[in-house]
Amino acid sequence: MPDRKVDHLLIGGGLASANCARWLREEGARGSILLVGREPDPPYNRPECSKGYLRGEEEREETFFRPNEWWAEQDVELLLRTSVTALDAERRKAKLSNKQEVEFDTALLATGANVRRLNVDGCHLEQIHYLRTLGNADAIREAVADAEHVVLIGGSYIGCEVAASISKLGKRATIVMQEQQTLERGFGASAGTFFQRLLEEHGVTVHGEDELERFEGSERVERVITRGGLELVADAVVIGAGVTPDVQLAKQAGLELGERGGVRCDSRLATSAAGIFAAGDICEYESLVHGGAHVRIEHWDVAFNQGKTAALNILGRDVAHTEVPYFYSVFADWGELEYVGPAYAWDEEVVRGSFADRAFTNWYLQDGVVKAALTFGRSDELDAARRLITQRTALDQAQRTALADVDSDLQQL
Ligand SMILES: Cc1cc2nc3c(=O)[nH]c(=O)nc-3n(C[C@H](O)[C@H](O)[C@H](O)COP(=O)(O)OP(=O)(O)OC[C@H]3O[C@@H](n4cnc5c(N)ncnc54)[C@H](O)[C@@H]3O)c2cc1C
């Protein structure tokens, strides 16, 4: 016998679950909603962990998805510091770490992602940090307060954003990364060079085409040694080496997984088990705007919007998730990038505006078809980019020339 029964079980205490709860209520769900999350904090906006919250400019409560009283007002039960330890997809039952068994009618699986850990010599020394949670941000903020030199491992979003925040706090930030240019894996070498210069101009040192070899120190980290032979003084280290979707529970429940490591879903975000949906970082869904390709995106806006789509489908509305994935990244108060796509591969880049003027949209095309657009200071062009990505038709030479011309009207393309 289960200990209790709920109408809607939301597994994971992040953004996707939170926004699903919100939309279930906004769309008139009357049944019981239980949100189970293993972190001590209520659902919050994780991006602040590398930005305002890390720099001490924002209070903890300001990062919360909604104020604490909102959950009770909405009659959504929050069960924090609690994990779902097993899921029986057929019988629709879940076991919790508090030993309770919960029966449900529908469930959302939104377990997010875990940081990729680097197992090198010295990795257990003190003041080597990863960043995923508010608790991690607290620990980094404390470490940075006492540090002069902070080394970032990885030149992608976390490495760049944390380097910017630390530099803004007046500390010396040094990035070590495999890439030649920061952020080049997602955006290519030209845009990568632009972002790297932006960081360097603000005092960040970047060592590309190198790799972490080991950490040295007695109790706490003192030096970072790289494969290329660098010995970098480090009072603290933050590792941003990517994340892996947390599909442990999905695997245990026998749900179908996808090629990108996530939980395979259809365009309605339904998993292979009836009544169970997925959203956010783990969700590998059939994207109709990408011609039915399965995509999985680890970004805020996608988790947010998928929470809504999942809620609508939990309520039987039968709607496809057709948002063009959007993401952003912020370099302290020096600027912000925005991107729609994603382009997993491209054979042409077209720049509209200029890197030198710090106002550009970089378009990524494959066989003449717009796959993605990255903008810095030209956000107004994102709507046209969304339309062109959805359109999926090849642009001719004249259209590609117009794409590059800031005086041409993108609506005409
Ligand atoms: C430091 C940082 C900065 C970021 N900045 C940006 C940014 O600038 N722009 C952007 O677009 N995106 C950014 N992101 C990414 C964005 O925050 C994520 O894509 C988004 O939070 C994903 O939401 P989610 O709900 O899928 O997963 P998560 O936010 O990871 O939430 C999942 C939750 O489920 C919990 N959980 C897992 N398994 C269980 C279980 N079995 N039982 C109970 N609970 C469980 C986890 O502990 C976690 O709390 C950033 C991420 C980080 C870490």
Side-chain angles (χ1 to χ4, degrees), residues 12 15-16 38-39 46 51 84 111-112 132 280-281 299-300 328:
L15 180 70
R38 68 179 169 207
E39 288 188 55
R46 218 168 275 288
K51 306 178 183 72
V84 174
T111 46
R132 185 74 193 170
D281 286 1
H299 286 280
W300 187 94
Y328 69 97

Side-chain angles (χ1 to χ4, degrees), residues 55 57 164-165 168 198 202 330-336 376:
R55 296 194 296 271
E57 295 164 5
S165 284
K168 178 98 198 302
L198 185 68
H202 288 88
V330 184
F331 302 82
D333 52 7
W334 322 325
E336 176 178 0
F376 191 88

Side-chain angles (χ1 to χ4, degrees), residues 11-17 36-39 44-51 82-85 110-113 131-133 158 161 246 249 279-282 297-301 303 326-330:
I11 304 171
L15 180 70
S17 278
V36 183
R38 68 179 169 207
E39 288 188 55
Y44 57 89
N45 288 311
R46 218 168 275 288
E48 299 319 309
C49 295
S50 51
K51 306 178 183 72
T82 309
S83 295
V84 174
T85 53
T111 46
L131 179 53
R132 185 74 193 170
T133 63
I158 297 291
E161 287 200 354
D246 188 341
L249 201 58
D281 286 1
I282 62 161
I297 314 280
E298 294 157 353
H299 286 280
W300 187 94
D301 193 68
Y326 161 90
F327 33 106
Y328 69 97
S329 185
V330 184

